[in-house]
Amino acid sequence: MASLPPKHPVQQGTADAAGGADAHHHPPKGLLRWVLTTNHKEIGTLYLLFSLLMFLIGGVFALVIRAELFQPGLQLVQPEFFNQMTTMHGLIMVFGAVMPAFVGLANWMVPLQIGAPDMALPRLNNFSFWLLPVAFTLLLSTLFMPGGAPNFGWTFYAPLSTTYAPPSTTFFILSLHIAGISSILGAINIIATILNLRAPGMRMMDMTLFVWTWLITAFLLIAVMPVLAGVVTMMLMDINFGTSFFNAGGGGDPVMFQHLFWFFGHPEVYIMILPAFGIVSVIIPTFARKPLFGYASMVYATASIAILSFMVWAHHMFVVGLPLVAELFFMYSTMLIAVPTGVKVFNWVATLFRGSISYEPAMLFAIAFVILFTIGGFSGLMLAISPADFQYHDTYFVVAHFHYVLVPGAIFSIMAAVYYWLPKWTGHYPHLRLSQWHFWLSVIGVNLTFFPMHFSGLAGMPRRIPDYSLQFADFNMVSSIGAFMFGLSQLLFVVIVFMCARGGEKAPAKTWDGAVDLEWTVPSPAPLHTFETPPQYRPAEADH
Amino acid sequence: MATPNPDTQRNVNRTVIKTLVVLAGMFAFAFALVPLYDVFCQVTGLNGKTSAKAQSLVSGDVDSSRTVTMQFITRSSAGLPWRLETQTRQVRVHPGQSTEVHFSFTNLGKEVDVARAVPSVTPSEAALHLRKLACFCFQNQRLRPGEKMEAPLVFQLDKQLPEDIRTVTLVYTLYPQEMEVSSSG
Ligand code: HEM
Ligand SMILES: [Cu+2]
């Protein structure tokens, strides 16, 4: 991490977009500059690099899983270690890769898109970033502890995670607390920024969808991260202080763990997808050269998804023995969420319709997002049918579902965002040929990996098990080959990003000719300080 | 930030305070969910838990037009060298009728131990209608190594048991309990 890309080396004096670049005290040099920075762009970069590192580590864990599953039988790892790998893979990807990447993008782009000079609470911003390396060093260190790392799955169901947990669980709880505090502080900062620092003249309904979706996501974070904190605190007390929140022997109830966890967990999955919706809603109009179809309906759809997400949690628990009315309620409420989600997909397609489309790498990823996320949505609908879920639950079908919404969903949107905004960050276009290679290898790899899982799942292959019966061998071999293809092609992504930081075709302020939002009015690379005097926002400008 | 406008700064502070209040509220809410969950389950019986205290017999006629199969399953939890058994795997009863079933506890380990049998009823809708007049599950059991103990369960299914329930399964799981220090010997 020492060789960070040369951030548009301190250009304050020369390229100030908005004038008024009065004497900034010089930032400290070298590493300390990154430790102490309160600049939203530098912190954004830190978040993104951290998330990239976690993405690679979590990816290695996934490849350990796929290598073991390449053939039936036990070849490479012990079942105990396999369990640690599935658990750590999930935790690292959710809390270490996807969430920090979105926070990083928010740090960089929210102030630029609303015309603010920085985040509302810059020092808090620095703190919330630096909590993350602490949390994840702690989490990763559990791999080397006696008894091994957490092995109970990323959903850490009690009593597996309490009565039968390895001793390292206390560290896992601590690291989740720290990561949770980081997300909460980040969310507070984003809300405060969006509500108070918009450029004069910019109303709420003038904000880009990226800003809108992040505002709603931040509210979700504020609402559910404390519940997660509460659940892990109860676990901590059950483990260390002899309480019985989840211990049936002492009058507690393990099923209650699942209710509490999913009350957090389902909104959490929307935390990982709403910003993706925002990114795609910004990129598609740019490269279709048409304003977004149904802007207002997009905002309302996002808000209704967020509200509904609190009423569907038990669709993860159809088989715990819910009474019939609850099965029906959660089945219909889950299906109801597909309606606003469908509105979004419809609007993206309508935006593309008769647009003059060009296929820059960002657009390739955005279009792949629309198609492949929708496949994940459909398998979600199948899972929502409660009687059918009795067959699908805890099989690879569920794995296929959530990887379709998370990898070609959330992750592709992050890739799209990086390709879209890299020129603004570095001043250079990313290498076109390599980006296209990265895209095609990724799409093919992702589908090879996850599409066969639908079939192995429907045929009954259980998830989180290191061995399987012979009938699943072919599907698993294809999945494993796809996974290595996808994983290795991400190294190409790393190369592209670092090449782009060092040089390449120069990008103008307005990098893409169809781009209209405020960030394209500042130079590329964006100077360290922008919008010191707020720009006057004129809505007409944004609507062509 | 170069020029923090005092007005903006005040608004920011106000937003932060509001979000902090929501935050604290949600954290408290998470813990409040625990008693709420318990109350909800007690009222509805949805988690299959039966009453923790002895209930009185509801007298009145036995509804001999219906017969319900009452099944018993016993198990010990990992790490506790005890056995819980019953001779009666299942009985056929009429709603309203009271029945006695015997269970036996054996400590197969080498130490004095305390354990409790925790009941769970399936289907959970039946939990509210299973009345226990006497049960070993109301208190902890304490056994010396090799000791064996017989304990009765007296129960009644009340007549409000929904018509569609033909079989009720009662599971007892033995859980180790903390030993009270004072009574060691
Ligand atoms: C149309 C929208 C969706 C529907 C109807 C839906 C429905 C479901 C259902 C019913 C399950 C439970 C399956 C089971 O365990 O048996 C599930 C699991 C899951 N879904 Fe979705 N889902 C949707 C969208 C999403 C999105 C957008 C995400 C995240 C970005 C997501 C992430 C997940 C995850 C992570 C799990 C598995 C959790 C686990 O057990 O590890 N879903 N979904
Ligand atoms: Cu869900």
Side-chain angles (χ1 to χ4, degrees):
Chain A
M1 288 278 292
S3 60
L4 292 159
K7 298 272 344 101
H8 28 78
V10 205
Q11 294 188 355
Q12 308 114 298
T14 51
D16 67 278
D22 42 317
H24 295 294
H25 30 103
H26 278 278
K29 291 261 150 19
L31 206 59
L32 210 57
R33 162 172 165 215
W34 292 95
V35 176
L36 298 177
T37 179
T38 57
N39 180 287
H40 74 102
K41 303 189 181 79
E42 294 186 333
I43 294 178
T45 304
L46 285 175
Y47 265 111
L48 288 166
L49 289 174
F50 175 80
S51 140
L52 181 59
L53 180 70
M54 286 299 128
F55 180 56
L56 296 176
I57 294 177
V60 170
F61 294 169
L63 292 184
V64 172
I65 298 172
R66 281 316 327 169
E68 175 58 52
L69 294 177
F70 184 66
Q71 288 187 325
L74 293 180
Q75 280 96 22
L76 293 174
V77 295
Q78 295 302 307
E80 293 76 17
F81 188 69
F82 184 90
N83 292 344
Q84 297 174 26
M85 286 291 104
T86 53
T87 307
M88 294 295 265
H89 163 70
L91 290 170
I92 297 269
M93 287 304 196
V94 168
F95 296 101
V98 174
M99 292 170 70
F102 283 133
V103 180
L105 291 170
N107 262 291
W108 250 105
M109 302 321 297
V110 164
L112 284 179
Q113 290 200 327
I114 64 174
D118 203 314
M119 297 295 280
L121 307 154
R123 267 173 291 188
L124 189 71
N125 206 10
N126 172 293
F127 182 59
S128 39
F129 171 74
W130 283 107
L131 285 175
L132 283 180
V134 177
F136 285 90
T137 311
L138 206 60
L139 184 61
L140 287 170
S141 72
T142 58
L143 277 168
F144 306 102
M145 292 181 184
N151 56 6
F152 28 67
W154 83 277
T155 51
F156 51 98
Y157 281 5
L160 274 182
S161 60
T162 52
T163 316
Y164 305 104
S168 61
T169 305
T170 306
F171 291 90
F172 152 78
I173 292 174
L174 188 61
S175 81
L176 222 52
H177 263 309
I178 300 175
I181 292 173
S182 164
S183 307
I184 288 172
L185 297 181
I188 294 180
N189 212 340
I190 289 168
I191 294 177
T193 307
I194 297 175
L195 292 186
N196 300 302
L197 300 192
R198 291 193 310 280
M202 183 186 275
R203 294 158 305 168
M204 295 288 276
M205 289 308 267
D206 294 327
M207 302 188 317
T208 70
L209 262 156
F210 178 65
V211 176
W212 255 118
T213 51
W214 239 117
L215 179 65
I216 293 168
T217 303
F219 277 112
L220 282 181
L221 279 166
I222 297 286
V224 300
M225 289 315 274
V227 177
L228 174 68
V231 178
V232 293
T233 308
M234 291 176 206
M235 279 171 57
L236 187 77
M237 298 205 276
D238 271 11
I239 294 173
N240 296 312
F241 308 125
T243 55
S244 300
F245 284 102
F246 308 127
N247 175 5
D253 191 337
V255 174
M256 186 180 69
F257 175 91
Q258 296 187 28
H259 282 291
L260 291 176
F261 178 83
W262 287 114
F263 188 78
F264 147 81
H266 187 81
E268 165 69 22
V269 307
Y270 282 99
I271 288 167
M272 294 191 282
I273 204 67
L274 293 185
F277 290 168
I279 290 166
V280 170
S281 306
V282 163
I283 291 178
I284 287 184
T286 299
F287 298 107
R289 294 168 180 78
K290 274 174 67 190
L292 181 68
F293 183 88
Y295 170 90
S297 69
M298 282 299 222
V299 173
Y300 297 131
T302 312
S304 23
I305 291 176
I307 292 167
L308 283 175
S309 75
F310 287 101
M311 296 192 283
V312 300
W313 76 90
H315 65 213
H316 297 274
M317 304 170 56
F318 282 141
V319 302
V320 299
L322 298 176
L324 187 62
V325 277
E327 298 271 346
L328 291 174
F329 174 84
F330 287 106
M331 169 164 124
Y332 289 125
S333 64
T334 303
M335 291 180 169
L336 203 59
I337 284 209
V339 175
T341 314
V343 168
K344 290 190 157 288
V345 175
F346 177 85
N347 285 350
W348 292 321
V349 175
T351 308
L352 287 168
F353 184 64
R354 295 204 165 158
S356 64
I357 301 175
S358 57
Y359 296 96
E360 279 80 356
M363 185 62 160
L364 290 176
F365 275 100
I367 290 178
F369 171 96
V370 175
I371 297 167
L372 299 178
F373 171 80
T374 305
I375 294 181
F378 281 139
S379 57
L381 274 175
M382 290 173 69
L383 291 166
I385 304 169
S386 114
D389 186 64
F390 276 65
Q391 181 188 339
Y392 308 153
H393 180 67
D394 262 346
T395 67
Y396 263 82
F397 192 79
V398 179
V399 178
H401 159 64
F402 68 75
H403 282 91
Y404 260 90
V405 285
L406 284 171
V407 185
I411 305 264
F412 271 25
S413 82
I414 294 167
M415 303 272 177
V418 170
Y419 283 117
Y420 186 58
W421 283 312
L422 257 182
K424 183 56 60 190
W425 302 337
T426 65
H428 310 118
Y429 286 101
H431 192 291
L432 187 62
R433 263 285 113 85
L434 287 182
S435 316
Q436 287 165 339
W437 269 99
H438 172 228
F439 170 75
W440 286 108
L441 288 174
S442 296
V443 199
I444 296 170
V446 137
N447 284 294
L448 276 182
T449 314
F450 298 116
F451 211 80
M453 291 183 185
H454 290 113
F455 304 123
S456 48
L458 287 180
M461 177 169 162
R463 63 189 283 206
R464 292 171 170 159
I465 308 283
D467 189 7
Y468 48 85
S469 84
L470 294 177
Q471 65 198 339
F472 306 123
D474 294 345
F475 290 135
N476 276 280
M477 190 172 285
V478 176
S479 282
S480 290
I481 293 171
F484 275 88
M485 179 172 166
F486 180 79
L488 293 177
S489 51
Q490 302 322 308
L491 297 180
L492 196 56
F493 177 65
V494 178
V495 171
I496 294 167
V497 169
F498 280 82
M499 273 172 54
C500 183
R502 292 191 183 281
E505 192 192 332
K506 287 261 175 301
K510 190 165 183 255
T511 308
W512 316 107
D513 58 4
V516 291
D517 299 320
L518 267 186
E519 77 264 32
W520 307 108
T521 62
V522 306
S524 302
L528 206 54
H529 298 279
T530 40
F531 298 131
E532 301 263 87
T533 19
Q536 185 62 40
Y537 180 79
R538 280 181 302 280
E541 214 173 70
D543 292 340
H544 286 272
Chain B
M1 283 165 64
T3 45
N5 178 338
D7 252 8
T8 317
Q9 200 54 49
R10 197 155 347 106
N11 290 340
V12 167
N13 292 350
R14 211 168 297 143
T15 312
V16 171
I17 289 171
K18 276 187 213 153
T19 47
L20 285 179
V21 170
V22 178
L23 206 63
M26 286 308 293
F27 190 68
F29 176 66
F31 279 88
L33 281 174
V34 177
L36 284 177
Y37 180 87
D38 280 346
V39 170
F40 182 79
C41 288
Q42 237 160 44
V43 174
T44 58
L46 282 185
N47 60 355
K49 280 191 200 169
T50 52
S51 169
K53 287 197 293 286
Q55 289 157 299
S56 55
L57 195 72
V58 206
S59 49
D61 355 308
V62 173
D63 177 4
S64 49
S65 66
R66 277 211 282 162
T67 316
V68 179
T69 307
M70 197 59 205
Q71 301 180 322
F72 301 98
I73 297 177
T74 55
R75 55 188 186 193
S76 179
S77 59
L80 185 72
W82 283 33
R83 195 153 63 205
L84 176 60
E85 288 165 305
T86 174
Q87 245 57 64
T88 321
R89 281 284 150 216
Q90 63 179 41
V91 282
R92 316 246 307 144
V93 296
H94 299 301
Q97 171 190 356
S98 79
T99 314
E100 182 166 334
V101 179
H102 284 268
F103 288 75
S104 73
F105 291 74
T106 322
N107 182 352
L108 304 170
K110 296 193 169 57
E111 273 159 53
V112 187
D113 248 324
V114 179
R116 180 193 286 240
V118 175
S120 172
V121 175
T122 312
S124 55
E125 287 90 331
L128 282 184
H129 304 284
L130 177 70
R131 306 176 67 83
K132 297 185 189 167
L133 317 172
C135 182
F136 46 83
C137 55
F138 300 141
Q139 66 268 317
N140 291 349
Q141 318 297 335
R142 188 187 147 79
L143 292 184
R144 285 188 298 280
E147 190 180 4
K148 184 169 179 174
M149 185 192 73
E150 293 272 326
L153 160 73
V154 185
F155 73 93
Q156 176 193 39
L157 285 170
D158 70 31
K159 282 184 289 188
Q160 282 80 44
L161 184 75
E163 293 280 340
D164 56 327
I165 298 182
R166 306 267 169 72
T167 308
V168 176
T169 310
L170 176 56
V171 184
Y172 282 107
T173 310
L174 267 179
Y175 286 100
Q177 300 289 315
E178 299 285 322
M179 254 192 282
E180 297 100 61
V181 190
S182 57
S183 62
S184 65

